[in-house]
């Protein structure tokens, strides 16, 4: 999901960055008990990538921020 979204937006992330984002995204979905097909999964993926681009490169911090943001999504 992360790679698909990053590719669609032409976001220049290397494989290490994609791996970090993917792990944070997957952990968020697991914690929220939603699937990649859930309508909010794409929003979460985009949010994680945006955070990474803004300088948040720690997987745990990406996860925490994605969880905090998910509260406003009513997931």
């Amino acid at each position: 999901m992360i790679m698909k979204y990053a590719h669609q937006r032409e976001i220049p992330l290397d494989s290490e960055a994609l791996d970090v984002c993917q792990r944070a995204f997957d952990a968020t979905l697991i914690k929220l008990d939603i699937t990649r097909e859930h309508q909010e999964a794409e929003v979460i993926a985009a949010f994680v990538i945006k955070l990474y681009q803004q300088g948040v490169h720690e997987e745990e911090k990406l996860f925490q921020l994605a969880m905090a943001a998910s509260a406003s999504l009513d997931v």
Side-chain angles (χ1 to χ4, degrees), residues 16 42 67:
E16 183 179 331
E42 188 170 333
M67 287 299 299

Side-chain angles (χ1 to χ4, degrees), residues 19-73:
D19 287 344
V20 170
C21 290
Q22 185 69 56
R23 288 192 304 268
F25 170 74
D26 289 342
T28 304
L29 296 188
I30 289 168
K31 184 72 173 178
L32 295 174
D33 193 28
I34 63 175
T35 65
R36 290 179 179 199
E37 292 76 28
H38 191 280
Q39 63 185 19
E40 300 302 336
E42 188 170 333
V43 175
I44 293 168
F47 184 71
V48 169
I49 290 171
K50 184 175 182 178
L51 288 172
Y52 193 93
Q53 288 182 311
Q54 292 176 346
V56 181
H57 295 168
E58 295 176 32
E59 182 180 335
E60 181 62 27
K61 190 65 173 175
L62 289 167
F63 166 74
Q64 291 170 355
L65 292 170
M67 287 299 299
S70 70
S72 68
L73 299 174

